[in-house]
Amino acid sequence: MRNGARRNNVDAGASIDASAKISGDGGKVVLWSDVKNVQSSTTVNGQIVANAGKSGGNGGQIETSGHQLRIGEQVAVSSQAANGKAGNWLLDPYDIVVAAAGGTVTGTVLSTALKTTSVTLDTTA
């Protein structure tokens, strides 16, 4: 059995882009720390993009997983498709707290993301 990373961090100002540029589907971005390891954590504050090409295609898939997951206020996520189906952002920690502050993710961050991608919250708890 393979173990994933214990810590995975995307700092504010960092950018991951798996977008198609002209046509085609957006790519897949997976930010994952070992979900079964209580000490594992994934923290995201940067930009993650997996948009479809401008002339066609579907949005890509973005996954943020870890036993402990923290999505910062500065995060920007997009998997939009101007001429296709929007992609999905999966938040997959042990448990999720959606709160105004201090939780896994804020409602404001989710609301902003829903303008450009669908969002799935999934827990193992």
Side-chain angles (χ1 to χ4, degrees):
M1 178 179 189
R2 290 184 348 191
N3 290 324
R6 283 214 167 165
R7 304 233 187 298
N8 194 345
N9 297 311
V10 178
D11 292 332
S15 179
I16 299 172
D17 190 344
S19 298
K21 299 303 176 196
I22 298 171
S23 67
D25 295 343
K28 185 172 187 176
V29 176
V30 178
L31 302 170
W32 181 79
S33 58
D34 188 358
V35 177
K36 294 178 179 139
N37 184 330
V38 175
Q39 297 175 348
S40 75
S41 66
T42 299
T43 303
V44 182
N45 285 296
Q47 179 184 38
I48 308 168
V49 183
N51 294 332
K54 294 177 183 175
S55 63
N58 296 318
Q61 303 298 312
I62 298 167
E63 178 181 348
T64 51
S65 298
H67 187 86
Q68 297 174 19
L69 179 63
R70 296 291 175 256
I71 305 298
E73 288 291 316
Q74 296 175 325
V75 74
V77 174
S78 177
S79 62
Q80 63 187 343
N83 297 303
K85 182 180 174 186
N88 187 61
W89 178 22
L90 170 64
L91 290 86
D92 184 24
Y94 179 75
D95 61 6
I96 292 175
V97 175
V98 178
T104 306
V105 64
T106 67
T108 302
V109 166
L110 292 175
S111 216
T112 300
L114 284 167
K115 295 175 183 174
T116 61
T117 189
S118 65
V119 177
T120 301
L121 306 177
D122 188 19
T123 67
T124 55

